[in-house]
Amino acid sequence: MGDPVLRTPAAPVVDFDAELRRLVADLTETMHAAGGAGLAAPQIGVGLRVFTWYVDGEVGHLVNPDVRPVGKEQEEAPEGCLSIPGYRFDCRRHLHVAATGWNMHGDPVRIEGSHMLARAVQHETDHLDGVLFVDRLDAEAREAALAELAEAEWRGHQAYLPAGEPTPAPVVKVSPH
């Protein structure tokens, strides 16, 4: 939290090549290592519209997603984020969604999900649009969450670096097309 790449809308993927497949593998490996239910490319400093998920034992990814709610039913449930480690806040999301996009090989993909999968897909798609889940909280809850986060021990990405290491500049990859 605090890195500008998390507030920058990601660029569409245009090259479905070996580099994209490496990115999907890196996202998946990083998501598993961190114990997350999803991870979007901007969270690792790559400004492309790609995310992975791991929900109910199923691993997947989506490139250039288009997400639509199915029905009007919503649920409010605790939500966390690997970019805001150690915190969970109640966030309202659509209960059911349908998403279309492509896999890493450029093949069309359609997924439908509810509950946790719907939440993960919405959360990761928000990352691709430069939105953090705390932005989705109602005004009072958001104010309380931001006050709590202002006191967080990590207060920014430098907390993840071993002492004495320089802060790396964020890398935002944008396709030339």
Side-chain angles (χ1 to χ4, degrees):
M1 187 169 174
D3 191 316
V5 74
L6 292 176
R7 294 302 195 170
T8 305
V13 171
V14 294
D15 294 323
F16 291 80
D17 56 9
E19 196 170 340
L20 176 62
R21 290 187 291 282
R22 279 191 298 276
L23 173 60
V24 170
D26 186 22
L27 284 167
T28 303
E29 180 182 325
T30 303
M31 173 187 62
H32 283 306
L39 189 66
Q43 292 179 275
I44 62 168
V46 179
L48 291 174
R49 296 187 69 77
V50 181
F51 71 82
T52 58
W53 76 85
Y54 177 63
V55 175
D56 297 330
E58 181 183 340
V59 177
H61 68 276
L62 202 54
V63 178
N64 298 336
D66 179 31
V67 179
R68 306 282 180 196
V70 175
K72 295 183 184 208
E73 195 174 4
Q74 296 185 343
E75 72 172 351
E76 189 166 349
E79 190 166 319
C81 180
L82 295 176
S83 296
I84 308 173
Y87 291 88
R88 295 176 65 80
F89 302 104
D90 285 346
C91 183
R92 182 169 300 285
R93 297 280 186 182
H94 292 283
L95 187 58
H96 307 282
V97 298
T100 57
W102 287 263
N103 68 15
M104 65 181 138
H105 304 288
D107 301 321
V109 173
R110 177 179 168 82
I111 61 169
E112 292 185 31
S114 61
H115 300 283
M116 188 61 188
L117 181 57
R119 182 170 295 279
V121 167
Q122 291 169 88
H123 179 107
E124 301 311 327
T125 302
D126 273 353
H127 275 300
L128 303 182
D129 295 332
V131 175
L132 295 175
F133 86 97
V134 292
D135 300 333
R136 299 276 183 207
L137 305 179
D138 66 52
E140 185 177 322
R142 183 172 191 269
E143 184 177 333
L146 292 177
E148 191 172 337
L149 292 173
E151 299 299 318
E153 287 182 29
W154 46 261
R155 281 194 297 273
H157 68 284
Q158 291 182 6
Y160 291 109
L161 298 175
E165 298 248 346
T167 303
V171 176
V172 178
K173 180 181 173 190
V174 178
S175 175
H177 302 286

